[in-house]
């Protein structure tokens, strides 16, 4: 994945646990390079090693770390140069989810080594939808749960995500039931 992903993991760990903990995690993951370059494509193995090492050092499950990372990614990319792109992708949670394939198509034009996942929305109701996630990568479903929660925070929307079908258990792809409720607070 692009170095931006590994940089986001670094930023998340450093902001919560400090630079020293990050160095320990990097060492445990046997990462040689001092810094990641956002626009360089790295082997997925690097990211997986970082998640595994973070899980060992912090005493959290890999799935907890990936979920936290998904939530973090939404705010991190918003402040690291992709704010405008995110703004163009929708004003609310269901709209944003329906525009994700377009977002990845736009990123993919400039960065050809992107391996974009696909997100398809079906069964659209007032307060729920089914989200179908298809990816060239395996094992990232917990991150998707975090990503949707991160979008909930972005749009001030209460969200509940339940995984209905798991590729890891033989399904053709991962499916999530997303229930949401915008917070209709009236500004003063
Ligand atoms: O292949 C990739 O390197 C890759 C990296 C990140 C593919 C997708 C993504 C984003 N995606 C990660 C989880 C799924 C991965 C998978 O299944 O293969 C999260 C998608 C997402 C979901 C909900 C809400 C927001 C989301 O992401 C917004 C987004 C997506 C891509 C980028 C930024 C924000 C992006 C921008 C530039 C990139 C890479 C990704 O690469 C750079 C960076 C700096 C300079 C040059 C290229």
């Amino acid at each position: 994945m692009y170095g931006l992903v590994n940089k986001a993991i670094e930023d998340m760990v450093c902001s919560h646990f400090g630079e020293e903990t990050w160095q320990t995690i990097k060492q445990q993951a046997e990462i040689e390079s001092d810094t990641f370059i956002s626009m360089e494509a790295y082997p997925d193995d690097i990211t997986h090693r970082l998640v595994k090492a973070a899980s060992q050092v912090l005493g959290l499950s890999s799935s907890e770390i990936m979920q936290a990372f998904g939530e973090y990614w939404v705010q991190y990319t918003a402040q690291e140069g992709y704010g405008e792109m995110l703004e163009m992708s929708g004003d609310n949670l269901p709209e944003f989810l329906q525009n994700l394939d377009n977002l990845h198509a736009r990123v993919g034009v400039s960065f050809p080594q992107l391996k974009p996942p696909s997100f398809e929305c079906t069964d659209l109701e007032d307060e729920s939808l089914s989200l179908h996630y298809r990816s060239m990568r395996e094992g990232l479903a917990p991150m998707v749960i975090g990503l949707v929660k991160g979008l909930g925070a972005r749009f001030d929307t209460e969200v509940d995500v339940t995984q209905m079908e798991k590729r890891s258990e033989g399904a053709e792809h991962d499916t999530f039931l997303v229930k949401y409720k915008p917070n209709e607070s009236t500004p003063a």
Side-chain angles (χ1 to χ4, degrees):
M1 292 203 262
Y2 273 97
L4 183 68
V5 172
N6 300 325
K7 276 181 95 82
I9 295 179
E10 172 174 358
D11 198 78
M12 176 176 80
V13 169
C14 285
S15 67
H16 286 95
F17 304 99
E19 172 74 21
E20 257 179 65
T21 304
W22 169 246
Q23 292 304 332
T24 308
I25 289 170
K26 230 174 63 171
Q27 220 165 22
Q28 178 115 344
E30 294 177 35
I31 307 292
E32 306 293 334
S33 49
D34 263 336
T35 52
F36 296 108
I37 299 159
S38 291
M39 58 199 295
E40 197 167 299
Y42 291 83
D44 284 2
D45 181 53
I46 301 262
T47 309
H48 289 126
R49 266 152 50 199
L50 281 174
V51 170
K52 194 174 164 207
S55 138
Q56 288 162 350
V57 171
L58 302 173
L60 299 162
S61 68
S62 290
S63 146
E64 284 170 319
I65 292 190
M66 282 197 282
Q67 188 169 322
F69 178 57
E71 291 190 53
Y72 197 79
W73 176 256
V74 174
Q75 54 171 82
Y76 179 80
T77 52
Q79 77 199 19
E80 288 301 313
Y82 300 94
E84 206 171 312
M85 179 179 82
L86 298 182
E87 269 165 38
M88 280 168 50
S89 297
D91 297 329
N92 57 61
L93 179 68
E95 198 178 293
F96 194 98
L97 291 174
Q98 288 174 279
N99 277 324
L100 266 172
D101 288 3
N102 295 325
L103 180 156
H104 285 104
R106 274 201 298 277
V107 177
V109 170
S110 324
F111 310 118
Q113 292 186 76
L114 193 82
K115 294 182 187 163
S118 151
F119 293 88
E120 184 193 356
C121 300
T122 64
D123 312 295
L124 276 147
E125 304 284 346
D126 271 0
E127 297 191 345
S128 70
L129 57 78
S130 298
L131 181 66
H132 303 265
Y133 164 63
R134 294 176 177 86
S135 174
M136 293 168 78
R137 305 183 168 96
E138 282 184 59
L140 298 182
M143 182 179 174
V144 172
I145 295 179
L147 285 161
V148 176
K149 290 187 174 173
L151 289 173
R154 175 178 171 84
F155 295 116
D156 193 20
T157 293
E158 227 177 279
V159 49
D160 180 85
V161 190
T162 314
Q163 188 159 8
M164 307 304 280
E165 306 235 47
K166 296 189 180 186
R167 189 170 151 193
S168 63
E169 291 174 6
E172 193 263 326
H173 63 271
D174 292 305
T175 305
F176 305 87
L177 174 62
V178 182
K179 294 189 199 164
Y180 51 90
K181 210 172 246 168
N183 283 315
E184 314 255 6
S185 55
T186 352

